[in-house]
Every structure is written in structure tokens, then in C-alpha cells.
Amino acid sequence: MSPPAPGSMNHDSIIEDSEVRIGYTYEEYQQTADWLLTNTEHRPTVAIVCGSGLGALAETLKDQVVFPYSEIPNFPHSTVPGHAGRLIFGNLNGKPCVCMQGRFHFYEGYPLWKVTFPIRVFRLIGVETVILTNAAGGLNQDYKVGDVMVIMDHINMPGFAGHNPLSGPNEERFGTRFPPMSDAYDKDLRKLALAVGRELGFSDKMREGIYCSLGGPNFETIAECRMLNSLGADAVGMSTVPEVIVARHCGLRVLAMSLITNKAVMDYDSEATASHEEVLQAGKDSAKFMEKLVAVLLKRIEPNNNVF
Ligand code: HPA
């Protein structure tokens, strides 16, 4: 038989293409959840996802049980400097929680169903509320480096191009095919976060606004920043939204906060450029404030959707 012409597809390669994975099975989520529950006695109801430069929060947990991602069955690995790649169970301010020290991003080459894998695992181990933090560029001209923006809503730019973590067959055991997103960011938790920030004496730093997610990894052009701002976005980043979508799909309550690590460049006369080093440094400078904020918040989140 003569070999196939260059560029043509034979039957085998068609089967191979149709066997490309497009998600985890329910059993794989369950296997990871069971493995974690077997290997720790902690039973957290709150999960915290630490953003770029904000992983120090996880170090403050008491009675730690630490799992490097590489040891957890089915877990992806984190490849970004400033993201350690460890899942830490422990108590923060007396409350049991589980902390992701390092998250996964689309720009690392992971499909979104991998990026969001831990969220469904959290659901299966009994988590009810997820607190997500991230580093973001400030588009709103009133925002300063070091401000904390409680996210009230998002614009999912990759979603407009068809990149959605819920693409593919729907797993009804997690949630419905067409989940609403108009209530993605829990109103009571947002109110609580703003109140706690004020109580801690940081009224001037606390903001509430709209986060726009992009795929990254390059920072935005000036024209893109201007466009995003005119569309109503207050801050821009490369994470969080896929996790929020999957968390809401499976019924978790969500609080998300952006640390403004740099001002987006909006002006052609500006000499400023964004850099990952600047993002990490701003994270370090504000780490103590974010730690305190999350620790106090955690103490005031009760199971069964109550806050006080
Ligand atoms: N753009 C996108 N992502 C970011 C930025 C930014 O300016 N700062 C931190 N993460």
C-alpha cells in the first residue's frame, strides 16, 4: 500500500483526533477527593485560591497538612514563578480551610477544564465557599497600586471566543447545562469584605468593581486597555473567571478580590510598562493587608450561607 499523501488524514489519525480528551470524568474528580479525604483529617468548608504574589497567606495556616500538586492524583502542576504549587489544609483564625498556593492559567497551555479541576474537587470534599484572590492591573483611573477591588461582576473575554470551562458534555452531577452568572459574586460576602476592610482601617484602599479576564500571557496594549475601560472594566487580569464559572456551576458561593498591582498603561506619552516583577513586588508589599483581610473574613463566614 502506498503511504498517504502529505497532509492527508488516514483512518487511524481520525480516531486519534476524536480521542483527544476534553475533560475529566466524574470518577477522576471523585478519586482525587477521596484521596485527599483519606490523607487529611481536615474537613474545610472554605477554600482559598491565592493569586500571584499572594501565596504567603497559605503559610499562616496552623496545623498544616501540605500536599505538593505533583503528589495529588490527577492534579495539574503550576509552572508560574510566584505560584508555589501546593495544596495546604489547616486552620486560619481558628477556621478550617484549604488553600491553593498557586493556581493554573490558560496561558500555561492548560485547557480550562484542567485550570478549574481543583474547584470541583473542593465541592466533593465538602467546601461551600471559595475565596479567590488575584493580581490585576487597574484600568479605573481612580485606582492606586495596593488597592483591593472586591469583584462585583466580570467580563469574560476568552468566553466570547468560545473558551469556556463548561464547554463539552455537561456533568449534571455538578450542575445544570446553562447556569446563570448574573449572581456570580455573592452580595453578602461582598458587603462583608468591604465592611471588614473598613473595620481594619483601610477604607481608602477598598474598592468594588468589574474584573475583565483575558487569556494572557502578554500584558495589554494601550488601545486594549482603553477599550476595556470604555466597556466598563475597572481591572484586568489573566485568571479567576474560569474558576468562578465552575464554582457557580456546582453551587459554591464565591468571593473574589483583586489586588491592584499596577496601573494599566492608558496613555501614549507614558514611559511605564507592566512587568511580572512589579506584580510580585506589589503582592509582597500588600500581602500583610490581604492576609489580615482574608483571616478576619474567614472567621465571619458561617456554614449554611450565613455571614456575621
Ligand atoms: N494585566 C493583566 N494581568 C495582570 C496585570 C495587568 O496589567 N497586572 C497583574 N495581572
Side-chain angles (χ1 to χ4, degrees), residues 160-177:
F160 292 168
H163 295 293
N164 191 298
L166 302 177
S167 287
N170 186 52
E171 177 50 77
E172 290 288 330
R173 282 171 283 190
F174 284 118
T176 179
R177 172 75 286 185

Side-chain angles (χ1 to χ4, degrees), residues 33-62:
D34 290 346
W35 186 91
L36 289 169
L37 292 175
T38 306
N39 284 280
T40 173
E41 287 177 357
H42 288 286
R43 293 294 178 264
T45 56
V46 179
I48 302 167
V49 180
C50 301
S52 289
L54 297 167
L57 173 71
E59 314 281 351
T60 64
L61 265 58
K62 302 271 186 314

Side-chain angles (χ1 to χ4, degrees), residues 135-138 218-220 236-238 261-262 264 274 279:
N218 62 280
F219 291 105
E220 301 68 41
V236 58
M238 307 173 193
T261 53
N262 55 292
V279 169

Side-chain angles (χ1 to χ4, degrees), residues 135 145 219 260-265 272-285:
V145 170
F219 291 105
I260 304 301
T261 53
N262 55 292
K263 287 181 79 132
V265 184
T273 56
S275 75
H276 190 55
E277 291 66 39
E278 176 188 26
V279 169
L280 293 181
Q281 188 57 47
K284 263 187 210 142
D285 294 346

Side-chain angles (χ1 to χ4, degrees), residues 15-29:
I15 290 172
E16 209 169 85
D17 280 355
S18 71
E19 283 178 351
V20 169
R21 288 192 64 151
I22 54 168
Y24 290 96
T25 62
Y26 189 83
E27 289 67 32
E28 284 171 314
Y29 293 108

